[in-house]
Each structure stands twice: as structure tokens, then as C-alpha cells.
Amino acid sequence: MAIQAPEGTVDLLPDGARHWDHFRRTAFDIFSRYGYSPIETPVFEQTELFVRGIGEATDVVSKEMFTAISGGNLGKLLNGEKLKGKSRLSLRPEGTAGVVRAVVQHDLVPQGGAPAKLMYAGPMFRAERPQKGRLRQFHQVGIECLGAEAPTVDAEAIIMLMRFYERIGIPRANMRLLLNSMGCEKCRPAYREQVRDFIHAHAGELCEECNHRAEVNPLRAFDCKNPDCAAVMASAPKITDHLCPECREHYAAVKELLDAAGVTYVEDPKLVRGLDYYTRTVFEVQVVDGMGSQNAIGGGGRYDKLAQEVGGRNTPGLGFALGYERCVLALEAAGVEMSAPRGVDVFIACATDDVRPKAFELAQIVRDAGSSAELDHQSRSLKGQFKLADKLGARRVAILGPDELAEGKVKVRDMSTHEERLVDSDMMERFFGQFGGKKFGE
């Protein structure tokens, strides 16, 4: 039996890879208008980064991380030796911790300096039970802004995220934006105690995991997927009723900015997101219909203490991530087709075999002019070459035969209008450089 892709992974075949590239480019185009610059971090980091940053009690760290280990270190483990911290590596389950680590390591936000506004895209890894919309290797696009705590940063990021979803084609009516505040180190500890007391009072109605969370991180109980637990936690104390004056003012300012921008949202006091580093603003975008329980397509929030957790200075931060695969499902649920892959600008067709060397030369000229070109490499008939050109989505076919070769001409056919014109072969570079993918007459 042939070797298959690992469970929970998918191959991005040419059309899928083009769609992912278009998705990423579209995001970067929009985010760059808001001042964000690209960053690339390793796909694996020291495990301690995720333990300290995301939280040891989270499902992501306790259950879902993949360990990355060399053959030499595996031998040490099998021999009962302990590995040093720098040798304990994990594939990244999310992008924020790695970006914050890079900001701290390279001092991208010097004391008194401007905020670092960064964007990234790439694969993430979680050892989850594979199902539709939940893979072990998946792709995310995200942003992180470090060095500013003003509510304008929060509102700007949320507006930017919604603009992106609309740009790729997800109807606004199909999405629901949830919003909440997680408070800060001043007001959250007392609130955590209230939630812990609530869980203890309802211990018999909650699952074993929720009762365990009461001792580790009570707020994680709001994330429980058990319907019975969700029903019980719906009557738990609400964080928005226990915010300190500063957090209440910050949250109110974010909402005012969103209201002024015409961005609709639903306040959800149970929204805590799945990671421990969040403070104050948290948000999540869900698809209303057609995706079942896996309906979250992106979200994020503020993490004002994360830089300190990974060894840096006190540096406020905010970010979000959105899942490519989930967005594809959202588009399908809305009946929206993904953008069609880009076709070939020109296919060079040979009427006879003796003109193939010239066709090969013309293809290089077209490519050097900045257009894409393809030609037959399998000695097909002229009819077969036209079929191939159509399959490749060629906008034009340049037909080269003995007569055209003798006259120094090439017959160029527009495949959408079927209009033809003769072009001097030594003018091909100028013709395709000037007209590119345009139709004749444009």
C-alpha cells in the first residue's frame, strides 16, 4: 500500500496552494494598510515558551502539543536522561507566543519606541482528534501589535479583521462577532475566586474536567464543550459585572469605537478564549449557519502581560489569528466559490514539429516580458494543444506554423473573444509586456 499523508493533515494541491497563497496575500495587503509588517518565526520553539506563555493548564499545552525531538535526544530519553530546557522543543500550536518571543529577543519595542505591528502566516500544529474543520496541521494568518494599550488598537484590529472576511467573500450577514473583556490583574483574581466558588457549589452538575479546572484555572470552565456544563456555567458570575474602573473604561471605549465604525457585535460574558494569556478585550468571529460546532473562524484579544511571561519588559500587546481551513468551510457554507486560480497568459502552440525550437524561444521572451507562458512538451497535435491551452485557462494562444515562421509573424488568438491578430515575432516581448492579461482593444 502506498504511503499516505499523516492523519489530520491534507495536501494543498496546486489549486488549493494557489488559494492559500491568494488568501495570505489578500490578508497581508489589507493588514499592511494599517501599518503591519511581515515576520517569520520558526515552526518549533522551546516547549517552555508555550508553557509559560499559553498556560500549562490549557488544553493546548496539556493535551495538544507535538514534541519535536532529535534522534540523539530521543536516545537520551530512552536511557532515562533528562533533557535540558533548550532541547525540549514543540511544534507551534499557535503563532502569538513565537512572535512575542521574537519581539522580546530582538528588542523590537525599545523603551519609549513605537509599537511593533507584525503579521504572519503559516502552518500550526495541534494533536487533536481530526474532524471537519479541525486538523492536526492547519494554516493561520495573524497579527500582533506590541507596545500600545490604547483601545484604538483593539478596535482597529477588530475592524481590520472584519474587513478581511468581507474582502474574501464571506457575507457579513453570515458572521457573528462576539466581544468581551477579561479584566486585568487588579480585578480578575477576585472574579476567579467567585467562579471557583460557583463551580464548587455546582460540582455535582459539572463534569470531572470542569471540577479539576476549578483548582487550576476556573475560567476554563466557560470553554467546556459539554452542553450540560455550558447550561450550568451560563448562570455563573459575569466578568463584566466585576471589572475595575480602568478595565470598564477601556472596554466602553472599544465598544464606542466599533459603534462609530458601524461594526456590529454581540457582547458575550462567557467568551474567555482558550489561552491563559488574554487580558481585557477578547473577541471571536463565528459563522452563523452551516458549520456546526466548528463555527469559529478567527479571534483574538489583548495580552498585556505575555511579554513579561516570556522574560521581557512590561509591554502591552494585542493580536488575532484566523484559520484558513475554517474560512474555506465558511465560504462553502455561504455558497461562495473561492477565487479561481490564475490562468496562463499565453500558450505557444506549434502547427508543426519543426517550429518547436522557435516556440521554445518565444515562450522565454513572453516570460521575460513579465507574463506567464506555457507550451506543449509531449508532441501533441495542434488540436490537442488547444485542448491543453483551454485546460490551463490560457487567455491567449500564440499559433506558430511554417508560414508564420517564414514571415516572422505569430498568430495570437484571444480565447475569450476568438479575435485573432498577427504579431511580429520580434515584437512579442513588447506586446505581452504592454498588454499582459488584457483583452484585445483594452
Side-chain angles (χ1 to χ4, degrees), residues 18 24 38 51 84 133 156 222 238 240 259 262 310 330 394 434:
R18 290 190 186 97
R24 180 184 59 81
V51 173
K84 296 180 179 179
E156 180 183 82
F222 286 109
K238 295 178 175 59
T240 45
D259 291 339
V310 301
Q434 178 179 358

Side-chain angles (χ1 to χ4, degrees), residues 71-221:
N73 284 330
L74 177 61
K76 291 180 180 179
L77 285 176
L78 294 176
N79 289 330
E81 299 180 45
K82 286 188 176 182
L83 297 182
K84 296 180 179 179
K86 65 179 182 180
S87 297
R88 296 177 61 242
L89 307 172
S90 294
L91 298 180
R92 62 186 184 192
E94 54 92 54
T96 299
V99 172
V100 174
R101 187 268 311 149
V103 169
V104 170
Q105 179 178 339
H106 302 287
D107 197 21
L108 297 185
V109 186
Q111 198 77 36
K117 302 178 82 172
L118 305 166
M119 57 187 177
Y120 61 88
M124 308 293 163
F125 308 86
R126 295 189 186 182
E128 300 184 290
R129 181 173 64 85
Q131 54 183 293
K132 187 176 182 180
R134 191 177 288 274
L135 299 173
R136 290 178 173 173
Q137 177 178 316
F138 54 98
H139 297 79
Q140 283 188 341
V141 171
I143 63 100
E144 315 294 343
C145 177
L146 288 104
E149 59 182 346
T152 48
V153 171
D154 309 43
E156 180 183 82
I158 294 171
I159 293 168
M160 183 171 69
L161 177 62
M162 302 310 292
R163 294 284 189 272
F164 169 76
Y165 286 135
E166 292 167 359
R167 172 79 173 273
I168 63 171
I170 302 177
R172 184 64 185 87
N174 287 38
M175 295 182 287
R176 175 173 53 230
L177 170 63
L178 304 181
L179 188 68
N180 192 24
S181 175
M182 293 283 291
C184 66
E185 72 277 6
K186 295 179 182 178
C187 52
R188 190 156 61 182
Y191 173 68
R192 283 165 55 104
E193 290 302 316
Q194 290 191 29
V195 175
R196 176 180 288 110
D197 292 342
F198 177 88
I199 293 174
H200 287 159
H202 295 80
E205 304 169 65
L206 297 169
C207 69
E208 182 180 347
E209 183 69 18
C210 283
N211 280 285
H212 171 68
R213 285 167 171 161
E215 307 307 321
V216 181
N217 188 341
L219 303 189
R220 290 277 72 76

